[in-house]
Amino acid sequence: GDTKQSLYRFRGGVEELFDRVAENYAIEIGHLDTNYRSRRILVEAVNDWFRDVMPGYQDQKAFSREEGYLKVREVEEPLPAAVEELRNLMEAGIRAEEVALLVRTNKEGMELQDRCAEAGIATVLQTSNSLKNLPRVASLVRAAEWYWRGHPLDRWAIEEWGGKSLERPPWFSPHLPPAQILHGLIDELGYFREDANLIRLLEFAEGFGDLPTFLEEFERSTIPVAGQSQKGARILTVHGSKGLEFPYVIVADRSGRGNNDRSPLLPRYDEDLRIERIAYRISGRQYVDEEYAQILEERGAAEEKDRLNLLYVALTRAVEGMVVLYKEKESVFEPLALKAMERGHPSPSPEVEKPEKERIEVELRSYGSQEKGESGEKEEDEGPDYEAILFGTAMHYALEMLGGFDPFYLPAAMASVRNRYGTLLGPEALDSIERRLDALLGYRPFLDLVEGGRILREQPLAHQGQLLQLDLLIEKGDESVVVDYKSSRKFESRHREQMRRYLEALGAAGRKRVRGYLLYLTEGGAKMVEMS
C-alpha cells in the first residue's frame, strides 16, 4: 500500500488505517526506494517537489537511466494551454493515444474534450459524468417530453440546437416505446448523427415500455458518457487516473476556484479510527464550542494531507514525459512552489502518421441489442421497420421473463409481455411470440444445453471499447456457452459475425473453452447453429 495515494477520505477512506493495522498485527512496513515507472528527470522532480512538504516523504531512486522529458509552465487558462501542449507533443512525434490529460473535475474534462474537438484532435473522455448532463442528450430527451406534454420550454431547447422549428410528426403516439420516439425524433430532425452518446441513450431507452417511466428514470440515471472515438488522447480526472500509467501526461491546474469542504456532517475518530462523534457544521460555532473547534482543526489538517496526496498521484502517472500547467494565483500546486522549467526532450513514437481530425459516423438504423422481426425485415436502405423492432424487443423480453426453461413458466412470461406490450402489438404478434417460445421449451438440443449449467441472462461484456450484450450465457465448469436469440435467418452472415465477436470477447476475458449457438426462433420452430 501507499498512503501517499489515499484519495477517498470523502468516501470514508482513512489513510491512517494502514499504519494502525500494521501496529495491531506487528507488521513491519518496508519502503520501496526505487521507482520502476518514470524516467530519471520525472523522479528527481517529484522528489524535489514533495521532500519538504509531505510529512514522512522518502526520496526514490530512478530505475531507468533514460532522461525523459519534463515541462513546467505558468499559464492563465489551463485548459486552452493543455490543448496547445498536446498539439506540441503531437508535432514532436508523439501519438495522441500515448497522452493522458488529467483534470480536476468531470466538467473540466467535458470542456477540454470540446476544445480538443475544435482543434481537430480526437479524444477519449473517461470521466464519471452522466449522460443526462450532456446538453445535446438532455435537449433531445426534453423534445421527446414536449411530444408528450406539450410544454414549450421542452421544445425550445432542441430548436436552439437544431436551428429549425419542431412540430409533432404524424407518426407520434404517446403509446410508442421511448426508444422508438427518440429514434424517430433523430430521423425527423436529421442531426446529431456524429454523437456516439445517442447510441447509449437509445440503449438505455430500449429498456422502457412507456415514455413517462423512461423520463422519470432518466432523471435518476448515471449513464457513463461515451468517448468521441476509440482512439485519441485520454481525458480523465486525477481520481480516475489512480493506479494507471501513461507514456506522456499533461496535468492541468483547476480552471476556476477551488471548492471548499461543505459537508454538513463532520466525523471525529477515536484512537481505533472508529467514528466517536459526528458534529453538524454551523458557521461560527468554533468560537463557542472548543471541541467543535478541534474537530475543524483536525478536518483542515486531513484535507491538506488529501490535497498533497492528490498532487502526488497526478504527478506520478507519467512514464516518458510530463507537462505541468499551473496558475500564478489560486493554484492547486501552490504547496509545491513550482517554477517554470523545461528539461529533456520528448521521444517520437515510431511510425507516427500526421494527425487528422477523426469523424465519427453513428448509424442509427440498428441501435438496440435485438434484430428486426422475421416478417418485417427490410434492406438497409429502406429505413427502420418499427413494428419488426418492437416484435423482436417483445420476444426477447418474453425470454427474459421466463422463470426457467420449462413450459410451466410460459403463461407468467406471456402475461408480462401482454402487460407491457399488449397495447402496442396486435393479438397475432403476441400469439406468434407464444408459439415460438412454446417450440423452444420442447426443443431437446437446447434443453440439453442448459441442463446443469449456471444461467446468466442479458449479460453485459466489454471488449475493445465496445459494450456487448449476451442474450444467454451458460457456465459449465471451465466452458462458457453463448446463445444468441434470433427471430429470422435473414442476414445470417451478419449473425455469425456478431457471434464471432462474442466468442472473441470471452476468449480475451480468459475463458478456456467457448462455444456459441445462434438460436433461431421462427414460425417453423426452433433451430440451433453451432459456432466455436
Side-chain angles (χ1 to χ4, degrees), residues 7 102 236-246 313-314 317:
L7 305 180
L102 304 187
L236 62 167
T237 63
V238 177
H239 280 87
S241 73
K242 185 175 181 292
L244 304 178
E245 64 179 46
F246 312 92
V313 169
R317 301 303 96 199

Side-chain angles (χ1 to χ4, degrees), residues 192-384:
F192 291 177
R193 292 186 173 275
E194 296 180 23
D195 194 338
N197 285 299
L198 292 184
I199 297 297
R200 293 196 176 222
L201 175 64
L202 291 170
E203 287 174 346
F204 176 75
E206 194 181 35
F208 301 92
D210 63 275
L211 192 58
T213 304
F214 161 74
L215 293 171
E216 181 179 353
E217 292 302 321
F218 180 77
E219 290 303 318
R220 300 176 181 175
S221 67
T222 55
I223 312 163
V225 299
Q228 284 190 346
S229 66
Q230 297 305 319
K231 292 183 179 181
R234 295 199 208 183
I235 301 175
L236 62 167
T237 63
V238 177
H239 280 87
S241 73
K242 185 175 181 292
L244 304 178
E245 64 179 46
F246 312 92
Y248 287 84
V249 173
I250 298 174
V251 186
D253 208 334
R254 61 189 173 205
S255 57
R257 293 188 173 186
N259 293 324
N260 295 324
D261 178 20
R262 298 178 181 176
S263 173
L265 302 178
L266 307 177
R268 188 176 197 183
Y269 299 91
D270 61 17
E271 293 182 354
D272 296 322
L273 297 180
R274 299 181 183 275
I275 296 177
E276 66 177 3
R277 182 183 172 189
I278 298 178
Y280 185 74
R281 185 189 296 273
I282 300 176
S283 178
R285 178 177 172 181
Q286 64 270 29
Y287 302 115
V288 296
D289 186 336
E290 184 176 346
E291 185 178 6
Y292 180 79
Q294 285 184 317
I295 293 175
L296 281 185
E297 184 178 351
E298 293 168 1
R299 180 86 170 189
E303 289 173 8
E304 182 60 30
K305 188 180 294 186
D306 291 348
R307 281 191 285 268
L308 286 174
N309 289 351
L310 194 66
L311 293 177
Y312 181 81
V313 169
L315 298 172
T316 54
R317 301 303 96 199
V319 176
E320 300 278 350
M322 177 169 61
V323 178
V324 183
L325 305 171
Y326 72 97
K327 299 187 299 183
E328 180 184 6
K329 298 180 180 179
E330 298 182 337
S331 171
V332 297
F333 298 104
E334 185 176 343
L336 306 183
L338 299 183
K339 302 291 185 182
M341 71 170 81
E342 187 167 14
R343 299 174 58 190
H345 302 279
S347 300
S349 308
E351 300 179 3
V352 177
E353 297 179 0
K354 184 178 180 180
E356 296 181 357
K357 181 176 181 180
E358 182 173 346
R359 180 175 177 83
I360 310 301
E361 294 290 347
V362 179
E363 173 57 57
L364 295 176
R365 296 189 188 282
S366 183
Y367 54 84
S369 58
Q370 320 304 345
E371 295 292 324
K372 297 178 182 178
E374 178 186 21
S375 61
E377 298 204 46
K378 298 188 176 185
E379 296 300 326
E380 291 188 10
D381 58 355
E382 294 183 33

Side-chain angles (χ1 to χ4, degrees), residues 459-463 466-470 498 501-502 505:
Q459 183 70 16
L461 182 64
H463 179 59
Q466 288 187 317
L467 183 62
L468 309 176
Q469 191 85 2
L470 311 183
Q498 184 181 34
R501 290 200 300 271
Y502 294 163

